[in-house]
């Protein structure tokens, strides 16, 4: 039995998979990040630990006793300053944090091209720079600058290490995944904080006696290093062939194209190392589930009501979903959300419909940026936020490419479990089942006019955001 742990932005999920690749159990626990002031997004790592204990308590002990190895999937880019004893010296600074805008100016002029990534707030590098300037005491107390999954693995008894998929997303690593010590020194960051980089499927330590008692798992089992949630989702859903592109919707939305050659720099796209012979190019939109969940909650709807009301009628309302700034293609941390074209009779259903359309338009912006350098004839569709068939059709109509919804659920957790198996030498390719649902075909470019209004609205409001 292999255990996959997925540390998401809004929840932690665990998945148990047997040696035949069959999922035996899936459980999750939600939580909320803290916003102590505008532009800040933090999380007490103790919440991850207590949430992990809670979800594992839901798993029968006889299943937990069979676990042979643990793998990890984690929200990317965040910074967890961690002491040698596994405690955090400061709340984790998450990927959606906006505080480090000024720190981007500290990077050398050619840094983005050398890193193959545009300079963006919320990445570990700028966040650590901000901490050095404003929370130096916490930095001095810390022994490691971890990403979320690496902090949790270390607390479970693992080694101080990370993997290339996460290191290349920090704005502090070379395209091969190894730390760029020249840049780290140039920025004045403490070299001692950066852990070893190992392959995602390598053994990254073993479960300690203390953690085993806390979690109800066998002591001493291997802990795979793991990977970021985006590559784990790609692995778990079967994105293994170079040239394939997948749209994953969760808190954010990611368009991922797998490539077997080192990609060129694009100021609107991210490029991360996946394995020793694969990279992936990503258009990352920060506001998908983040925006939709805010709208649904603000309108006091459950998700069934939200979808039903949204698809009862069309609307002329336009929604900008950029609640926490935006990456691809805007690269604008100051972008904010807005509803436009409201009338006294505008209904909750229209507001929800406009929110779905706005997220879809934002994804189309990202797709067009990706299509400038990569041919995309169809998209695999994955993620917990993509299950409703009406939403799938809207996406296909807006994006103007056929969609192949991937039937495999819980793909990030499954990918983490597959890495756990790989750490013990089990070939996981045989567990990939290409069982896609029927293709969703666009019904003509019925949203072109409204999409143009969406883009025009952002341009007109850009100087107004503050």
């Amino acid at each position: 039995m292999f255990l996959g742990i997925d540390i998401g932005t809004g929840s932690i999920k665990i998945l148990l998979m047997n040696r035949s690749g069959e999922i035996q159990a899936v459980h999750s626990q939600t939580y909320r990040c803290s916003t102590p002031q505008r532009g800040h997004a933090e999380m007490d790592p103790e919440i991850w630990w207590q949430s992990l204990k809670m979800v594992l308590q839901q798993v029968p002990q006889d299943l937990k006793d069979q676990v042979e190895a643990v793998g990890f999937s984690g929200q990317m880019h965040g910074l967890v300053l961690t002491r040698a004893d596994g405690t955090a010296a400061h709340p984790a600074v998450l990927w959606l944090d906006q505080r480090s805008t000024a720190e981007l100016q500290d990077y050398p002029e050619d840094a983005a091209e050398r890193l193959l990534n545009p300079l963006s707030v919320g990445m570990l590098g700028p966040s650590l720079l901000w901490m050095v300037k404003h929370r130096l005491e916490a930095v001095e107390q810390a022994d490691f600058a971890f990403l979320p999954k690496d902090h949790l693995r270390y607390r479970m008894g693992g080694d101080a290490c990370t993997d290339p998929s996460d290191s290349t997303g920090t704005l502090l690593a070379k395209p091969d995944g190894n730390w760029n010590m020249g840049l780290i020194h140039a920025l004045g960051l403490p070299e001692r904080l950066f852990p070893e980089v190992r392959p995602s499927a390598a053994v990254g330590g073993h479960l300690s006696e203390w953690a085993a008692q806390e979690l109800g798992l066998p002591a001493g089992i291997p802990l795979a290093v793991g990977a970021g949630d985006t590559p784990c989702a790609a692995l778990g859903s079967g994105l293994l062939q170079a040239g394939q592109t997948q749209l994953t919707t969760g808190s954010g939305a990611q368009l991922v194209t797998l490539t077997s050659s080192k990609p060129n720099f694009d100021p609107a796209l991210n490029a991360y190392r996946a394995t020793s012979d694969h990279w992936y190019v990503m258009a990352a939109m920060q506001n998908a589930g983040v925006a939709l969940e805010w709208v649904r909650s603000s309108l006091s709807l459950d998700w069934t009501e939200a979808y039903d009301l949204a698809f009862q009628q069309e609307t002329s309302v336009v929604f900008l979903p950029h609640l926490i700034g935006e990456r691809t293609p805007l690269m604008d941390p100051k972008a904010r959300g807005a509803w436009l074209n409201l009338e006294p009779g505008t209904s909750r259903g229209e507001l929800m419909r406009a929110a779905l359309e706005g997220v879809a338009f934002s994804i189309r912006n990202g797709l067009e940026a990706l299509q400038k350098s990569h041919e995309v004839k169809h998209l695999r569709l994955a993620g917990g936020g993509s299950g409703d068939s009406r939403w799938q059709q809207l996406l296909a109509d807006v994006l103007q490419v056929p969609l192949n919804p991937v039937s495999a659920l819980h793909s990030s957790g499954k990918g983490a479990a597959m890495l756990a198996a790989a750490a013990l030498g089990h070939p996981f390719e045989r567990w990939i089942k290409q069982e896609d649902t029927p293709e969703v075909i666009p019904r003509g470019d019925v949203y072109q006019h409204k999409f143009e209004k969406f883009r025009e609205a952002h341009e007109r409001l850009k100087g107004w955001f503050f």
Side-chain angles (χ1 to χ4, degrees):
M1 197 78 67
F2 306 107
L3 172 63
I5 300 175
D6 178 27
I7 313 165
T9 308
S11 66
I12 192 166
K13 308 175 188 68
I14 61 101
L15 179 145
L16 279 165
M17 185 173 66
N18 65 21
R19 288 194 173 202
S20 298
E22 299 166 336
I23 297 174
Q24 302 297 295
V26 177
H27 296 283
S28 65
Q29 176 68 37
T30 60
Y31 40 66
R32 294 177 66 89
C33 72
S34 171
T35 53
Q37 56 184 287
R38 183 176 181 180
H40 290 211
E42 297 181 348
M43 176 74 70
D44 180 357
E46 182 65 23
I47 294 174
W48 295 332
W49 183 255
Q50 296 301 328
S51 298
L52 177 60
K53 289 171 62 175
M54 291 176 66
V55 291
L56 284 172
Q57 286 171 4
Q58 301 175 53
V59 179
Q61 190 59 49
D62 64 319
L63 285 181
K64 290 191 284 190
D65 290 341
Q66 299 176 52
V67 173
E68 302 172 66
V70 183
F72 299 83
S73 163
Q75 53 175 295
M76 299 175 69
H77 313 307
L79 166 66
V80 192
L81 289 170
T82 305
R83 302 183 183 95
D85 64 1
T87 60
H90 188 275
V93 180
L94 304 184
W95 61 271
L96 61 171
D97 191 276
Q98 302 287 302
R99 73 185 72 178
S100 59
T101 301
E103 281 61 43
L104 299 178
Q105 306 304 315
D106 296 346
Y107 275 76
E109 187 174 340
D110 63 342
E113 289 81 357
R114 289 193 283 125
L115 295 168
L116 290 187
N117 280 286
L119 303 182
S120 306
V121 298
M123 308 295 202
L124 185 148
S127 295
L128 181 55
L129 273 170
W130 187 94
M131 293 293 293
V132 168
K133 293 180 182 180
H134 302 280
R135 300 287 189 274
L136 183 58
E137 181 180 351
V139 176
E140 291 175 338
Q141 290 178 12
D143 293 280
F144 307 105
F146 281 141
L147 290 121
K149 76 171 194 318
D150 303 316
H151 168 84
L152 185 63
R153 188 191 59 253
Y154 183 78
R155 183 160 183 181
M156 291 172 64
D159 300 335
C161 58
T162 190
D163 79 296
S165 75
D166 253 344
S167 67
T168 50
T170 63
L171 295 181
L172 293 173
K174 301 174 183 177
D176 64 4
N178 291 310
W179 296 116
N180 189 327
M181 286 304 174
L183 178 60
I184 288 169
H185 293 155
L187 293 171
L189 299 175
E191 181 179 341
R192 61 180 177 81
L193 294 176
F194 296 93
E196 178 185 355
V197 179
R198 299 181 187 174
S200 299
V203 174
H206 296 79
L207 188 66
S208 68
E209 290 281 354
W210 171 81
Q213 291 180 5
E214 288 272 301
L215 303 175
L217 297 170
I221 57 175
L223 306 174
V225 176
D229 53 1
T230 296
C232 271
L235 174 63
S237 60
L239 187 73
L240 299 176
Q241 298 178 15
Q244 288 183 317
T245 301
Q246 180 163 299
L247 167 61
T248 303
T249 57
S251 297
Q254 300 84 35
L255 287 156
V256 176
T257 294
L258 202 63
T259 175
S260 57
S261 58
K262 179 180 174 182
N264 296 319
F265 172 70
D266 188 312
L269 303 174
N270 294 104
Y272 304 136
R273 193 69 180 261
T275 64
S276 60
D277 55 359
H278 279 94
W279 283 261
Y280 62 99
V281 178
M282 181 167 70
M285 288 63 67
Q286 293 193 156
N287 302 271
V290 166
L292 295 177
E293 174 58 26
W294 176 79
V295 172
R296 180 205 65 78
S297 176
S298 298
L299 297 176
S300 300
L301 301 171
D302 62 36
W303 274 110
T304 299
E305 292 174 319
Y307 282 122
D308 287 346
L309 288 177
F311 289 101
Q312 281 181 1
Q313 64 182 110
E314 296 183 358
T315 182
S316 59
V317 177
V318 174
F319 178 68
L320 301 183
H322 314 305
L323 302 186
I324 53 173
E326 191 52 280
R327 284 166 62 188
T328 307
L330 305 180
M331 296 302 172
D332 183 2
K334 294 183 178 181
R336 290 295 179 264
W339 267 303
L340 304 171
N341 214 29
L342 297 176
E343 298 178 356
T346 299
S347 67
R348 291 190 299 168
E350 287 185 87
L351 294 176
M352 194 70 224
R353 175 64 173 260
L356 291 166
E357 291 177 356
V359 168
F361 293 150
S362 180
I363 295 171
R364 178 163 169 177
N365 264 341
L367 178 61
E368 290 188 355
L370 184 64
Q371 287 174 321
K372 291 178 181 178
S373 55
H374 296 81
E375 185 178 23
V376 181
K377 293 184 177 180
H378 68 273
L379 284 172
R380 293 162 50 89
L381 178 63
S386 60
D388 188 274
S389 60
R390 295 163 294 184
W391 171 226
Q392 292 173 358
Q393 186 63 62
L394 190 153
L395 281 170
D397 293 342
V398 169
L399 300 180
Q400 284 296 286
V401 292
L403 301 180
N404 293 106
V406 179
S407 59
L409 298 175
H410 320 295
S411 53
S412 293
K414 183 178 179 181
M418 291 164 68
L419 291 174
L424 293 184
H426 295 281
F428 53 68
E429 288 82 0
R430 59 192 174 90
W431 295 332
I432 298 295
K433 299 176 181 179
Q434 303 291 353
E435 298 176 353
D436 293 350
T437 54
E439 195 171 54
V440 183
I441 305 298
R443 298 174 297 186
D445 201 353
V446 294
Y447 286 98
Q448 180 62 32
H449 177 70
K450 199 168 185 182
F451 175 57
E452 291 171 358
K453 290 291 185 183
F454 170 85
R455 292 210 286 203
E456 180 184 351
H458 176 266
E459 285 301 311
R460 286 180 176 271
L461 290 175
K462 187 164 53 175
W464 184 85
F465 298 128
F466 58 92

